[in-house]
Each structure stands twice: as C-alpha cells, then as structure tokens.
Amino acid sequence: MAGNSIGEFFRVTSFGESHGKALGGIIDGIPPGLSLCEKDIQGDLNRRRPGKSRYTTQRRETDIVEILSGVFQGITTGTSIGLLIHNVDCRSQDYNDIKDVYRPGHADYTYMCKYGLRDYRGGGRSSARETVIRVAAGAIAKKYLRKYNVIVRGFLSQMGNICCSLNSWDEVENNDFFCPDTSCLKELDLLIRHLKKSGDSVGAKVTVVAENVLPGLGEPVFDKLDADLAHALMSINAVKGVEVGDGFSVVNKYGSENRDEMTSSGFSSNHAGGILGGISTGENIVVHIALKPTSSIMIPGMSVNVFGDSVQVITKGRHDPCVGIRAVPIAEAMVSIVLMDHWLRQQAQCMDVFNSYLKKIS
Amino acid sequence: MAGNSIGEFFRVTSFGESHGKALGGIIDGIPPGLSLCEKDIQGDLNRRRPGKSRYTTQRRETDIVEILSGVFQGITTGTSIGLLIHNVDCRSQDYNDIKDVYRPGHADYTYMCKYGLRDYRGGGRSSARETVIRVAAGAIAKKYLRKYNVIVRGFLSQMGNICCSLNSWDEVENNDFFCPDTSCLKELDLLIRHLKKSGDSVGAKVTVVAENVLPGLGEPVFDKLDADLAHALMSINAVKGVEVGDGFSVVNKYGSENRDEMTSSGFSSNHAGGILGGISTGENIVVHIALKPTSSIMIPGMSVNVFGDSVQVITKGRHDPCVGIRAVPIAEAMVSIVLMDHWLRQQAQCMDVFNSYLKKIS
Amino acid sequence: MAGNSIGEFFRVTSFGESHGKALGGIIDGIPPGLSLCEKDIQGDLNRRRPGKSRYTTQRRETDIVEILSGVFQGITTGTSIGLLIHNVDCRSQDYNDIKDVYRPGHADYTYMCKYGLRDYRGGGRSSARETVIRVAAGAIAKKYLRKYNVIVRGFLSQMGNICCSLNSWDEVENNDFFCPDTSCLKELDLLIRHLKKSGDSVGAKVTVVAENVLPGLGEPVFDKLDADLAHALMSINAVKGVEVGDGFSVVNKYGSENRDEMTSSGFSSNHAGGILGGISTGENIVVHIALKPTSSIMIPGMSVNVFGDSVQVITKGRHDPCVGIRAVPIAEAMVSIVLMDHWLRQQAQCMDVFNSYLKKIS
Amino acid sequence: MAGNSIGEFFRVTSFGESHGKALGGIIDGIPPGLSLCEKDIQGDLNRRRPGKSRYTTQRRETDIVEILSGVFQGITTGTSIGLLIHNVDCRSQDYNDIKDVYRPGHADYTYMCKYGLRDYRGGGRSSARETVIRVAAGAIAKKYLRKYNVIVRGFLSQMGNICCSLNSWDEVENNDFFCPDTSCLKELDLLIRHLKKSGDSVGAKVTVVAENVLPGLGEPVFDKLDADLAHALMSINAVKGVEVGDGFSVVNKYGSENRDEMTSSGFSSNHAGGILGGISTGENIVVHIALKPTSSIMIPGMSVNVFGDSVQVITKGRHDPCVGIRAVPIAEAMVSIVLMDHWLRQQAQCMDVFNSYLKKIS
C-alpha cells in the first residue's frame, strides 16, 4: 500500500491536501449497531480546528464533517463509513513564492525526491491539514470504546521549557493550550506572544492516557500494542519521538526500580505505561510524544530552489507557533484508532477469553 | 493478522518459542538475483548470540541458521526464503517454579489475560529469543542494501548513566558492549560486574545510523518512514522509547534552531535524522531506542500467582544484566528490514524517479 | 480488513449505498506524473450508467465523478486520489414494502444474519450501485496501462442461450448490449422485450481480454495473477463463475491438446488465457464470468419476513432484466485494477528484469 | 506482499520448492486452546501424498509434518505455528535435460520472464509440491471448524468425460480417485491406464461442499466469501475455472428458476451454493473447480530453449496423469482456510450477532 491507510481490522484510509477541494476518509471495520451522527465527530474536530484561538494558525476552517455512508437511521450498519470535509479557507496565492523553493525543515524537498513533482500549495498532502480525518476517525473509535468505559484523553505536557503537570483533567478543556496545569497558563501565553513577535516557533510534548483498557489487547512480536501506538503516533506530522510509560528514563534505571510489582489488588506501579510484552495490562496506557517546532517561521533561512540555486526563505502563510497544541486531539485520535483496531483483533482470535472480560464490565 | 509478520512488500514472518524445538522465519519479497548463503546471515547471528561473553546471558545457543528455500545455486530466486534455527540449550526445568506465577515486569500476566493460557518455559513466544529471526532477516536486507552502498550499523549509546560517544565505528566491534567509545569500557565492565553481584539489571540506549540511504523512501501520512521505523523498533522486546534525529530534545528548541538549512551542497545539519515529512532526505538516518532493565532479576519482587495469591518471585534461569547490549544487532536488523521494505515500495510506485537516483550511484 | 478494499499496492477502497447521499473511493498507490482528469473517468462511467438504454434499469443517475485530491495541475502527484459521485435519483419509498421482508435471491437475509440490521433501501451496500466506484478506479488503471499499450476490453459473450462471437471489437460500442456480433442484436432485443413483459430476468456471460500485457506479472503460490483476477471478478455482484482461458472445457481435454506449444515467434495457441503458473505469458489474457439472472423480478416468489412468517414477494423498484449487460465495463475495471496492482508489484520486486521489458516497448 | 501468504486474520505463509531441502509454513491467527498434534494434520497429508497409488505420480514422499511452535502441552497457545516437511525423494538429475528448455504449458517460461532466472528442478516453487503446506494448514482450520460442526469435504466430480455423481460421501475415501460413485471406478481406472500407455494426461473437475457453515460469514464488496474462495481455489496449480453453486449454468437460466425461495423452515433450493451477496446463508457451500490436464506428458511437444531455438520436449520425471485426483484434499484445504479466516473476521466485527448464532449450536 502507498501509505494512506492505518489499522488491520479497524482501518482508516484518507485523502486530501491542504489546498485541495476537500479531505475525506473511509472507515472500514466498524461494528454494526453503534449509534453515530456527525455531532459525535464534530466535537473533536472543533478541538483541533485551526483559527479558534490566537495561539494557533489564523486559517479559518469550519471543518464541518459529513457522513456519507455506513450509517442508517442513526446506527452504523457495519459497512464502510465515508467522511467528507471541505476546505473553505485556502489562500493558495500565498504559496506562489515558494513554488520553486524547498522550505528548510519541510517536506518540499523530499516530496520532490520521491515523486519528481509536488503540490506546493500549503504543503499539499504533507500538510498537517490531513490530520482532520485522523481526528474524525478517532472520534468514531472513541465513541465505540466509550461503550466499554475506555476513556482516551491527552494534554500538553511541555512547551519549550515549560512543563505542565497533570493536576486536573477538567482544566485541560478550559484553556486554549490543552494544559492541565493552570499555573503554567500565563507562561505559555507569554511564550506564544514572544514567538509571534520574533516570528519563531517552539517544540512541545504531548501526553495521552487511555483508562479502563481491558487487558489482553496487542499481539506478540511485531504488532505489539506499543509498536502499533508508536507507528500511529510517529506518523503524526512533526513528531520526532514516542515514549511508552517511563520511556527514555528507563535507560538509567535498575530492574528492581523499574519493574511493576503486583499484589492481589493489582499493579503497585505503572512504569510500563500499561503494556507488558506488547499486551495491555489493564493499567492506564500512557504515551508521550515529542513534536518539533514547526519550520514554518518568519525568520529567514537558507535553502535551495529546484534549480539548485541558493536562496533565502521566509515562510509566509498562516501557521501555528507551536504545533504541539493542536496535536492533543490528534494524538488522542491515533491512540483511539490503535486501541479500537486491537480490540477487534482480540475479538477475532481470542473471543472466548475476551468475552469473559467483557462480561465483567457489562 | 495476528502480529507475526512485518513489512508490506519485503515481509518477514516468524515463529518459535524460547524453549520450543526451533525458531524460523519466511522472508517474502526478496528480489531475485542476490547472491546469498548462510554465511551472509551467520555473522549478525553471532553478534547477537547469547553466551558469547561474560556480559550477557550464559545460555549457549549456537544459532546456526539453515536456508531451506528461495536460494538456488547461491542466488535468490525471488521466491520465499525459509529460515530455520534449532534451539539447543533449553533448560525448561528452570521454569517449573514459575509455572503458576506471574513474574513482575514480564509478559506472563498479559499472555494469560490475552490467551487464557501460556507457555511458561522461558517466556515462550514473549522471550527475546524470537529476535534471532529478526536478525537473520535483517542480514538479508542488509546484504541487498549494501549493493547500493547503504550501511546500517548501531552502537550502545548509553547504559545506566554511562554515555558512550560515537568516537569510532571501528571500535564498536572490538568489545563486547558494541561501545564506540573505549574510554567507557572500564566503567561498563564494572557496572555489569556490580549488577551480577547484586542480581539486578540496568537499562540502555542504542543508536542506529543508516548511511547512503537514497532520498525518497517513505510514504506520506500513515506509513511515513519514521512511523514504520518506530513501529519496527518499538516491537523489539524491552523497548520503551523511540527517537528520530534529535528526538525529545526538540521539545525545548526553537524552529530557527531545529530546522536543517540547505545549501547547494546539501543540508547544513541533520536535526531531522534524515527524514522530512516521513520521507528520507539522503542524509544519515539516525534513530535511538530506550531499553528497559530486564525484569529477570535475582532480587525478590512481589507478585501474584494464577490463583490470585500474593507471592515473592526471584527470576532464576540465565539472563542478560543489560538486554541493551545484544539489542544492537537487533535494532540494526529492524532498521534494515524497514528500509528494504520502503526501497521496494518506492520502486513499485515511483520507479521512473527512483531509477534516476539509482543510476547516479551505479 | 472488513472487505472494502482491493489490491495490495494499487489499492481501491470504497464506500456508499444504493440510496445514500453519495458513493466514493480512495485510490492509493497511483504513480506520480500521470495526466488525469474527470473526463478520463467519465467515459467508462457513462458506459456503465443506468438508465441510458431501454435494456437496462430506468433509474437515472448522472454518475458525474469529482476528483477531490491527488491530482495537481492535471497530473497525479502520487498521493491518494479521492473520488466522489452523488446519488441523484433515489426513490427510497419504493422499498418501504420490503423493509421487513427478505427478497429471495438477494442479500437481505445474509446482511441481517451478519450485521443484525440492514439498510433496506435498494439493497444498501449490497446493491450493484457500488460498482460505479470500481469503474471509476478501473478507468484510472486503464489510463495508466494504456501508456504501455495494454488494452483491456470486454463484451457480452452470451445472454440466456444466445451466444455472441467476437466478430468485431468495433461493434461492441455500437449497440446497447456490448455485443460484438451484429447477427445477435435482434435476438437479444427480443429476449429483453420478452423478459420485461414476463417480469423475469436472465443470466449472461461476459468475456474480458487484456492485450499487450507484459510477461512476468503475477506472484507464485497464493497471489497468482489468475487467482487475483478470480477474486476481483467473483467479487462483482451476481457473478457465480470465473474462467481463465479455456476454463471448464479443460476438464475433458488431454494434455497434448491443451498445452500451448511455443515456437521462436511465440506461443502457437492460447488455451491458457495468457497465464502460466500464475504469471502472465505476454499472450492475451482472457477471462470469462457467469452472471446470474437478477433476483429482482416481478414474478411473485416465496420468502419469509423478519418475523419468520411466510410471505410472497414481488420486487418492485427499477431493475435490469439482465445485469450482465452493464457488467461489461465493471469486469473490464476489475481486470484493469488487478493488472495495475501486479504491474506495480512486479516493479517492486523485479525492477531490473521488468525494466528490460519496458525498454523494449518504449 | 510477494504472494506467499493467504488470509487476512487466519493467515498461512509458506515456502519451499519441489527439490529443495524442505517445505514449511507459518500459521498465524489460530485461536488459543485448540487441541492439536501432528496426527491431526497427517491424515490429510496422507490423502494428498504422492506415490500412494498407481494412479498418481510415483515420487515417494513420506510427507511427515513436524509442528515446531505454537502448541504447548498439546494445545495451541495462540502464537504462530511453524510447520516443516522435508523432501526425501528428489531426483533432481531428471531435470538436467530441461535446464535450458521451457516445457510447454509449464511455468518455466513465465518464471524466467518474471525473475530472470529459475530453479528448474521439478519446477521449483511452481511445482504443486507446495500444496503440501496448504493441506497441512487446511487440516488445522478443519479441526477448528469441526468444533462447530462445520464439515468440509470434496470429491472428484469429473475426469475427462466421466462424470461422477455424489452418490455417497462414504465411498469417496474407499477408492484412489476420491470418487463418490462406484459405478465410475472401472472407467476411471481404464482411462488412467490408457493415459499412462499413451503418455498423455487429462483434466478433471473437483467439487467441495462445506456443511453447517454459520450464516453471516463473508464481507460485502471486495472480500465476499465467494470472492475469497475463488481466489483461494484459483491459486491451486492447474485450476482454470471456479464456480459457486450453479456456476456457469446460470447464464442460461431465468431469475424465476434460479433464485432460491425461502420458507419458514429454510431455503427451498440452493442454486446459490450457500452464498448470497458474498455472505454465507447457512446452506451448504458448494464450489467446483476445473483442473487442466498436466502439461508434464511423454508426448513430444514443440517449444523453445532459453537461447530462442526451437526444440522438441518430452517431460520426463514422475508425474500424475490426472492432477485432479490429488487436488481433492487441496481444494478442501483452501475452502477450510477461507472459512476459518472469515470466521475470525466475523468475530472481529460482529461479535455480538455472531455470539447469538454460536450459542444456538453449542
């Protein structure tokens, strides 16, 4: 496959460019009988939507989703769901200047190397605009998982050198940063103002937690649950690192510190981030991702054009000073898609065992 | 699929348990015409082999590989390659004590949750013993890639708090740690001795670098080259984190620092680790992984048995005090498999463009 | 996967129901650089379109296709192509009567068994309406293959007991039956008139021929070219049989009659239908399919309703008296999709060998 | 993938050549908890085994299978099953004469076109010898399905012009032809004797019936149950046609004859062969395949060699005068593999509905 699909059984396939007519997706493998309408999806789309706060890009997309199939009388039929979202606020002329130029840190050059041509308007397919379909698909997965009490939610855990602690999940939706720590809000605001003024950008770290995941999800060897999460999360634009549980801090840990002991009432700790041997333990699944500072900045940078000449580039257009902010709902979506996929895979192979867990929670 | 395959076009499928009769794999998609014999594979198997130094497990496996098909008169025919490696040094009785016990930090509990039963001998399929087939498959990929000057190699970049700099690739194969920095060898030796005495284990970081990778490998959106690398690397036992290029350090970077500028003679830096927009740039591909300290330690830990009783566990058997050491050839193998897969995928879709790059290096 | 995708590398995924808002598809894996616009697709859509002659259903769909992505400035970019076709002539009320009834010979009952519910309007996803996306995708594959002189075309080879010989390819597009044999046209016309009067339907046989296919396409063992063709063709609604080359007539043949001898100027015959050992020989690929008479007929038939009661059913709505007619462009599309997929797969694995054949024809 | 795997969730991957060291397979996706040992597999292997009667090839292979993994204490663990069968009776020297010659009707020429080289010993990977792994995998699927009363069995329905009626399933295993009709045995014997004398071969038709298949198996659109059966069956060596239910005879049928009416006690007929809209109805699944007469015959035929010269070929070696005979267990295996795969897929997506059917039969 050429890379526009994810998931083995719950499978999401997408299309669309930053400045094309529309973006869309096909969701295959959704179980029949799930109550579903556009409203179920729109909430997360709104959380990701550009232009909704002064901290993100000023491109104003409504991101209104249409369900074109797979739902009849408000219920999923089990057949493939077609989703469509039109682009409404393209300013393609903003990109005429970079038609022949490779913006440093962007995919312009690599798309040219791969395909021998490229859609230069807003980065084309390489734009994070495509994540709108991820979020839509993820919302469907979330809705299904919620039937079984699984809650998937994320937050901004760091921006630049500002670390945000998970003080309160409630707080996350009360500010424009998805920040769980009110004590950081002022600093975050100042940092973004500073970046806007300097024309620069900054990196971020996002954390996602999935609660009440049944044990037994994930396949041994190559399709471990954490391997599929790493795949899904690293596929998000700008992500340069993925951690499960304690992540890179395990490098400097002893086995006696790091292992999670068990008692008859469960695990005593969760360094593993809810996954052992690639299979969910029933503890919270905890993942972190690192997002690079976007390369779309106003500070001039050296590059070359398609003719091989040295040029200086300034990235005009409308951009996020910190792409990590809007990455929160995207990362939640990717985690949800992976969990949903493994949920169905577990039903496929180990239905009898899984049924016994499902009974416990019903 | 139930998780025992990796790769879309260059596809590796494996079987085998720690204490079963044999491990094996099927390599599908190898181009015809490659000169290949057991010797080409044995080298990397020996690098991974247990029992070859005092720093790793004392289980003594010869890891002799047999090619059962797909090669005729020393040349690959294009049909599937069957690989077989017999287990020769199992001491299954060592595991009778833990038959009904979930070792903390191991997959014992999660396998039970998933399947309702488990092969308790040496961890069964969850044992890192399965990585022997990864290394064998990776050696085949490596051999193919080397025809195009692609070199994939790794080293131990950190163990506990000992950081090893990439001073010399040559040094890596001269010591039992895959350490490129002779100034660390004494410290590493002391740490392992200490761990053996205390019955503990320690985490590690491994770095892999792929040189001379042609630009254009990797697919947009979900099957980005880095996403597939993250998947492949996170699927290695004990890995808890994956970084590409600057990884988590980008969180605290500005866009103006992090972007890699270009000149007519190439990129001025490689913070991106050789991948932009999910597609190779032609620069070195650089990835890091974090490996947790193995949970197989002699220090007693609290756990439960299959009957729900609290028990104290000591993991007997023969184990690595730092699984990160032997992870070096495994990580190289996974990177090679992913590169090989994307090499073929690029040929499939963009043959004309790719041909022009291939001509340059031939 | 839940079945809405076909192809390994050139991959078509679709959605849409008979009476939903729209049908759509995503085409993944198309090589960059192909000139493509809606007109290239519309031709085949018009050939399949309902309501264009008195011999087919009177439902009047315009089947206007929109390309939503993957094409920039008239050229494919290599990224996924989104296709959309709106339904414009649904009369869902025609189906209220059968809401609770299983029409005999239809998928009503089996969809209920599978999903526990169904979209009863026009058969929902089980309607042959979904083939509109197959034809659109096939048109793209056809356009690509035509660059290499590959021509894929089909004809009605039998309807009821009327056999149509391949007298002239030119004639096929000159009549409403895709019939290559003008001597049959009167008989065909009479048969359809008779069926309309009696409210009955009839079966048909369709033949597709692919010319100038390069040798070497198809994979050994499970993904043989003929196996993938059989899969693709049997997946078309109403198809009950697939033959390659001489098909079922080989049962009563001797090896000395059936084998295709070779001379230095090529094969002396083509009983094999252009495929040996699952791989194309370079001779014409010839396949036949049998389509059952549609079960949507006005003659009352016995069935049951969802409550288990015996009922008599008459299928109202607008239907084809012989679905085989419109199956011609659909079968061509499926053959084209499979050839395209294997074309790319051959490039992936055996590029060097394939390049030498490509050179010959360029 | 390069074609050596079949199945989405129950997945069989194989390797091995006619004259290689061994053939093998990996079975992925088998549910845990199934009692399984070599004996469960050996029965079907013996039915397919060459050299067991005077009606088939005289190559004497023991076809002893070894289970190398995935089974612990006689029970499947849910991890991948490795299977191995050694070749013991190769006479590769028989093939030296055809080293540079393309045997007419064989894959020699197409393998050369595809790969640029070939393993000429006994046809290498193109030999039907590879079907031994299909049969082994099918036996595992059969064992699982039998837990739910599903019975999959086949018979020789025609050889040359001798038609064999399904008079008695019991008779099928009582003769060397898998013939259910004792009145044909003499004729069949005479035909084979005649073929051996004349050095010729003949075609055959094989029928497989699957009883007690639960309704609901199969996916809409591309992965219809019949589409996947067609794929699996057409992938068997020498198969040139596949029919479901009434197959090609529907071409000349009216809808009023062909549709299967329903009453409250079930379907009144089974023209559909147990599948409607690509989904199982609960009636017997009935498929037929046409196998060409093998091209390995002693009657000289014209061909060319690798240098392009005209040559006359006689195929020495040991061959079946009618490959259709031994195709019976192979076809059963392929049907079983497909049913098993769709069984698991149905559990994945529609577990709740499927559970209700499973309860009825438990």
Side-chain angles (χ1 to χ4, degrees), chain D residues 88-152:
Chain D
V88 299
D89 183 27
C90 303
R91 294 194 204 149
S92 303
Q93 69 282 8
D94 286 3
Y95 293 89
N96 285 342
D97 290 359
I98 58 129
K99 193 162 76 81
D100 296 327
V101 170
Y102 302 129
R103 291 169 298 166
H106 273 277
D108 301 341
Y109 174 70
T110 52
Y111 267 59
M112 201 68 170
C113 291
K114 181 171 194 68
Y115 296 120
L117 55 87
R118 71 188 171 97
D119 174 357
Y120 56 80
R121 301 165 307 162
R125 184 76 174 139
S126 76
S127 165
R129 179 103 192 95
E130 58 87 353
T131 59
V132 73
I133 297 299
R134 301 176 184 238
V135 170
I140 296 174
K142 267 187 191 175
K143 175 121 202 229
Y144 183 83
L145 293 169
R146 220 171 301 138
K147 282 176 43 175
Y148 302 96
N149 309 324
V150 178
I151 299 167
V152 180

Side-chain angles (χ1 to χ4, degrees), chain D residues 136-170:
Chain D
I140 296 174
K142 267 187 191 175
K143 175 121 202 229
Y144 183 83
L145 293 169
R146 220 171 301 138
K147 282 176 43 175
Y148 302 96
N149 309 324
V150 178
I151 299 167
V152 180
R153 48 192 178 177
F155 62 94
L156 182 77
S157 39
Q158 191 176 342
M159 184 197 292
N161 59 6
I162 309 165
C163 295
C164 316
S165 305
L166 180 51
N167 290 341
S168 153
W169 278 115
D170 293 339

Side-chain angles (χ1 to χ4, degrees), chain A residues 140-160:
Chain A
I140 297 174
K142 267 187 193 175
K143 175 120 202 230
Y144 183 83
L145 293 169
R146 221 171 300 138
K147 284 175 44 174
Y148 302 97
N149 308 324
V150 178
I151 300 167
V152 180
R153 48 191 178 179
F155 62 95
L156 182 76
S157 39
Q158 191 175 341
M159 186 196 292

Side-chain angles (χ1 to χ4, degrees), chain A residues 33-69:
Chain A
L34 180 71
S35 153
L36 188 75
C37 67
E38 275 91 352
K39 222 181 267 180
D40 294 314
I41 302 173
Q42 202 61 51
D44 271 342
L45 289 177
N46 292 346
R47 292 171 72 222
R48 193 212 76 103
R49 203 177 61 205
K52 66 165 192 168
S53 90
R54 56 187 170 172
Y55 303 119
T56 57
T57 172
Q58 293 310 300
R59 178 170 170 174
R60 293 189 187 278
E61 291 290 342
T62 51
D63 286 352
I64 302 294
V65 67
E66 264 187 287
I67 296 176
L68 295 175
S69 68

Side-chain angles (χ1 to χ4, degrees), chain B residues 242-349:
Chain B
V242 177
E243 295 183 316
V244 176
D246 285 3
F248 276 87
S249 74
V250 299
V251 172
N252 193 10
K253 286 275 162 58
Y254 291 114
S256 52
E257 301 168 275
N258 183 254
R259 66 177 165 183
D260 299 309
E261 293 185 300
M262 298 179 78
T263 72
S264 48
S265 54
F267 287 90
S268 308
S269 56
N270 188 21
H271 298 293
I275 301 173
L276 282 174
I279 300 170
S280 63
T281 63
E283 295 295 300
N284 284 354
I285 290 176
V286 183
V287 293
H288 311 280
I289 56 175
L291 294 115
K292 71 174 184 183
T294 178
S295 306
S296 300
I297 55 179
M298 295 295 288
I299 297 171
M302 291 310 301
S303 192
V304 294
N305 62 20
V306 296
F307 314 108
D309 309 319
S310 246
V311 291
Q312 215 186 37
V313 185
I314 289 174
T315 310
K316 292 181 208 162
R318 297 158 294 174
H319 303 287
D320 290 276
C322 176
V323 293
I325 299 173
R326 286 169 56 211
V328 171
I330 303 168
E332 290 171 8
M334 297 317 290
V335 169
S336 303
I337 289 168
V338 170
L339 290 177
M340 179 78 198
D341 190 33
H342 278 282
W343 192 280
L344 300 185
R345 290 167 80 170
Q346 175 68 347
Q347 288 186 170
Q349 197 191 1

Side-chain angles (χ1 to χ4, degrees), chain A residues 176-347:
Chain A
D176 292 322
F177 298 102
F178 299 103
C179 170
D181 183 353
T182 50
S183 72
C184 301
L185 295 177
K186 188 141 195 195
E187 261 185 296
L188 292 169
D189 174 77
L190 284 171
L191 177 51
I192 295 286
R193 283 170 193 270
H194 163 71
L195 292 169
K196 285 193 156 180
K197 203 171 290 174
S198 60
D200 213 337
S201 64
V202 76
K205 184 170 160 185
V206 164
T207 298
V208 178
V209 179
E211 294 167 68
N212 303 324
V213 175
L214 286 181
L217 303 190
E219 309 284 346
V221 188
F222 300 115
D223 290 356
K224 292 187 165 84
L225 186 59
D226 35 1
D228 277 4
L229 286 167
H231 175 263
L233 292 164
M234 191 69 94
S235 79
I236 300 173
N237 310 49
V239 172
K240 300 303 285 183
V242 177
E243 293 182 318
V244 176
D246 285 2
F248 276 87
S249 74
V250 300
V251 172
N252 193 10
K253 286 275 164 55
Y254 291 114
S256 52
E257 302 169 275
N258 183 254
R259 64 176 167 183
D260 299 310
E261 293 185 300
M262 300 180 76
T263 72
S264 48
S265 55
F267 287 89
S268 308
S269 56
N270 187 20
H271 298 294
I275 301 174
L276 282 174
I279 301 171
S280 63
T281 63
E283 295 296 300
N284 284 356
I285 289 176
V286 183
V287 292
H288 311 281
I289 55 175
L291 294 115
K292 71 174 183 181
T294 175
S295 306
S296 299
I297 56 179
M298 296 294 288
I299 297 171
M302 293 309 301
S303 192
V304 294
N305 61 22
V306 297
F307 315 109
D309 308 320
S310 247
V311 293
Q312 216 187 38
V313 186
I314 289 173
T315 311
K316 290 182 209 161
R318 298 158 295 176
H319 302 287
D320 291 276
C322 176
V323 292
I325 299 173
R326 286 168 58 211
V328 171
I330 303 168
E332 289 172 8
M334 297 316 291
V335 169
S336 302
I337 288 168
V338 171
L339 290 177
M340 178 78 197
D341 189 33
H342 277 282
W343 192 280
L344 300 185
R345 290 167 81 171
Q346 175 68 347
Q347 288 186 170

Side-chain angles (χ1 to χ4, degrees), chain C residues 1 3 8 110-111 114 200-201 216 218 222 224 235 240 242 244 255-256 259 261 272 276 299-302 345-346, chain D residues 1 3 8 110 114 200-201 216 218 220 222 224 235 240 242 244 255-256 259 261 272 276 299-302 345-346:
Chain C
M1 285 155 297
E8 283 298 313
T110 52
Y111 267 59
K114 181 173 194 66
D200 213 338
S201 64
F222 299 116
K224 291 186 165 85
S235 79
K240 301 302 285 183
V242 176
V244 176
S256 51
R259 65 176 164 183
E261 294 185 300
L276 282 174
I299 298 170
M302 293 310 301
R345 290 168 79 170
Q346 175 69 348
Chain D
M1 285 155 296
E8 283 299 314
T110 52
K114 181 171 194 68
D200 213 339
S201 65
F222 300 115
K224 291 186 165 85
S235 80
K240 299 304 284 183
V242 177
V244 176
S256 51
R259 64 175 166 185
E261 293 185 300
L276 282 173
I299 297 171
M302 292 309 301
R345 290 167 80 170
Q346 175 69 348

